[in-house]
Amino acid sequence: MRKVLIIKYGEIALKGMNKPYFERVLMERIRKAIKGFAEASVWRYEGVVFASTTEEARLEEMALEVAKVFGVATVSIAAEVESDPETIFPDAAEYMREARAKQVIRTFKVEAKRSNKQFPIISPEIARKAGASCLKGCNDDPDYPLTVNVHDPDCILFMDVRRDKTYIYHDRLAGFGGLPLGTNGKGLVLLSGGIDSPVASWMMAKRGMNIEAIHFHSYPFTSDRAKEKVLDLTKILAGYCGRIKVHCINLLEIQQAINENCPEEQMTILSRRFMMKIAERMANDVKADVLITGENIGQVASQTVQGLVVTDNAVELPVMRPLIAMDKVDIMEIAQKIGTFETSIQPYEDCCTVFLPKHPSTKPKLESIKLSEESLDVEGLIKSAFDTEEVYVINPE
Ligand code: ATP
Ligand code: MG
């Protein structure tokens, strides 16, 4: 029996007139994700997306890649057989025999769907006959019996009868849902080496946004290794988002200027406003629609609501903060799930820690922050920060 992937999408199914567009982009994304498999192909058949390769032994690996594509709700490895009432029931039994050789299945039930209304047998009858065929074909070993259990089965066998082909499958690998990349503009993420901003990038990408990144360091106060950590994180993100460009900017001169000219407790908030201003200009240069940060209300001194208001005021471009109201444990859980956590917790210094004030201001006043900025050559500092720019293009593994 030939095996293929049957791919279901979640939210795209709810789209109205735009559905074909989203489906097309989704298929392009899947195609990209599996281009390393021999003769990989992707097609749509009666409202469902399928994928195959001639390397059937690698189908599981391919399913894992497809599950990472945003927009995909579930992926299953299915046997593709002819929609022939004479053969689909023996085929179901053969599928079940193979499945039971790979994993322990003692109880099962069948769920059938007949999208081909020309097929002469109705769905409940398909389920009943497939069940009977499996029971008959899989009960030759008294020590490994197979029985039906409709309430809590080890396995639900799906029979999806379509016009020419029928798909038989059981396991479903969960995807992340969301919308295909590239269907929702572009965001420039302020990417640190911490836990939050990689998660924020991933969450926006999951809603279809293309991602580009800007990272600030304070070399030589921060090490090369700290920058490499950010590039490592970007590599993990690229596994979901495709190629990501990272712009690295040295913030040291700005931090030194603040340190020399402004009250100590304003260090953090002033450098954050500089980061935002530089990011905004970069966003305009690279045609990003919005900025993205991993800010989260109340998490640290600079992220009090007053701190966020003063940070936000530095730029005109909308700033998306997908983590704003999340609890840290939930952010950490996503970081674990997407694979960034272990890298994020590596102990390398961040530029923010370089001139960390003992008592950062938690209730900054915009007027006094602006007054402090007047003592600085903001334009000149931003210009020379841009002169330090290094660009890295990070491809998926
Ligand atoms: P993270 O875990 O993302 O580093 P954090 O909890 O350490 O966040 P902050 O250091 O206050 O919080 O940073 C808040 C946000 O500001 C980050 O999520 C990120 O978007 C941005 N940011 C902070 N440091 C940098 C940096 N060195 N380069 C680029 N962006 C940064
Ligand atoms: Mg940080």
Side-chain angles (χ1 to χ4, degrees):
M1 285 190 280
R2 173 173 127 106
K3 299 276 169 53
V4 301
L5 297 185
I6 179 164
I7 303 160
K8 307 266 172 87
Y9 40 74
E11 209 174 309
I12 297 171
L14 307 175
K15 296 275 171 205
M17 303 245 287
N18 285 334
K19 198 167 143 188
Y21 163 69
F22 282 92
E23 286 173 333
R24 203 170 56 242
V25 181
L26 179 72
M27 287 173 65
E28 274 164 31
R29 291 289 161 195
I30 296 173
R31 230 169 249 132
K32 264 200 177 146
I34 63 172
K35 67 175 191 294
F37 295 82
E39 290 181 48
S41 76
V42 179
W43 68 98
R44 212 170 133 260
Y45 174 44
E46 298 178 356
V48 175
V49 176
F50 295 86
S52 70
T53 167
T54 46
E55 291 177 276
E56 278 195 14
R58 291 180 71 203
L59 262 185
E60 255 168 60
E61 199 187 320
M62 192 161 111
L64 288 172
E65 289 305 317
V66 172
K68 279 169 81 176
V69 174
F70 295 132
V72 169
T74 64
V75 191
S76 307
I77 298 178
E80 183 187 61
V81 300
E82 297 304 315
S83 287
D84 178 340
E86 293 295 316
T87 53
I88 62 166
F89 303 116
D91 284 339
E94 188 186 334
Y95 178 91
M96 183 56 97
R97 268 197 303 277
E98 268 184 29
R100 294 181 84 229
K102 283 197 202 136
Q103 73 189 88
V104 176
I105 299 172
R106 290 177 180 273
T107 57
F108 79 113
K109 74 169 177 181
V110 181
E111 279 184 13
K113 198 172 114 200
R114 183 185 58 145
S115 48
N116 171 12
K117 299 297 175 205
Q118 310 300 316
F119 193 77
I121 308 172
I122 58 170
S123 302
E125 194 63 9
I126 296 171
R128 206 189 54 74
K129 287 191 164 185
S133 176
C134 290
L135 287 172
K136 199 165 140 231
C138 297
N139 267 322
D140 41 9
D141 179 355
D143 291 332
Y144 187 27
L146 180 68
T147 55
V148 170
N149 177 343
V150 291
H151 301 295
D152 183 25
D154 294 342
C155 155
I156 300 175
L157 186 75
F158 296 96
M159 301 281 295
D160 185 350
V161 181
R162 292 171 180 261
R163 194 176 55 240
D164 308 310
K165 302 286 182 193
T166 290
Y167 297 88
I168 309 174
Y169 58 98
H170 71 294
D171 267 343
R172 284 202 268 208
L173 190 63
F176 293 113
L179 296 169
L181 265 183
T183 55
N184 247 316
K186 175 167 160 184
L188 180 71
V189 64
L190 284 84
L191 189 65
S192 71
I195 294 171
D196 301 329
S197 43
V199 172
S201 320
W202 183 86
M203 284 176 69
M204 295 310 296
K206 184 160 96 74
R207 296 305 299 167
M209 191 171 270
N210 278 324
I211 300 294
E212 193 153 331
I214 182 165
H215 171 68
F216 298 96
H217 60 87
S218 316
Y219 189 82
F221 282 59
T222 54
S223 64
D224 264 341
R225 193 61 198 90
K227 193 164 72 189
E228 273 166 36
K229 173 184 171 184
V230 173
L231 300 180
D232 289 347
L233 283 167
T234 310
K235 187 137 200 111
I236 301 169
L237 288 173
Y240 301 96
C241 309
R243 171 181 300 175
I244 301 177
K245 221 183 227 181
V246 188
H247 306 262
C248 291
I249 300 275
N250 193 330
L251 206 66
L252 188 57
E253 194 189 336
I254 290 175
Q255 290 173 307
Q256 280 165 336
I258 299 171
N259 193 43
E260 281 159 22
N261 297 291
C262 306
E264 187 199 347
E265 71 275 8
Q266 293 183 352
M267 179 75 210
T268 311
I269 195 82
L270 283 167
S271 39
R272 295 202 50 74
R273 280 172 58 93
F274 269 99
M275 284 191 196
M276 297 300 272
K277 285 179 201 227
I278 294 169
E280 181 178 51
R281 286 189 202 188
M282 185 71 77
N284 289 331
D285 286 353
V286 304
K287 302 200 166 37
D289 305 292
V290 293
L291 297 177
I292 302 167
T293 75
E295 286 165 313
N296 172 252
I297 202 157
Q299 198 183 85
V300 288
S302 63
Q303 296 179 40
T304 59
V305 78
Q306 293 89 345
L308 288 167
V309 167
V310 174
T311 306
D312 205 59
N313 179 276
V315 291
E316 280 175 11
L317 209 61
V319 183
M320 303 212 157
R321 302 176 166 93
L323 312 184
I324 195 71
M326 285 177 73
D327 285 354
K328 190 77 184 186
V329 283
D330 298 325
I331 299 171
M332 281 158 62
E333 199 175 295
I334 299 179
Q336 299 263 18
K337 184 173 78 174
I338 66 175
T340 52
F341 186 77
E342 292 303 323
T343 306
S344 287
I345 60 172
Q346 288 171 7
Y348 297 105
E349 65 294 334
D350 181 54
C351 73
C352 303
T353 53
V354 171
F355 293 95
L356 200 63
K358 275 192 217 68
H359 302 287
S361 133
T362 53
K363 290 190 179 140
K365 291 263 179 310
L366 188 57
E367 303 76 57
S368 79
I369 295 293
K370 282 191 161 164
L371 208 63
S372 297
E373 280 174 350
E374 277 170 25
S375 67
L376 302 169
D377 173 17
V378 174
E379 265 311 306
L381 286 167
I382 290 180
K383 254 210 168 104
S384 62
F386 265 92
D387 290 340
T388 69
E389 181 189 7
E390 296 164 293
V391 184
Y392 298 87
V393 177
I394 307 296
N395 287 301
E397 213 110 45

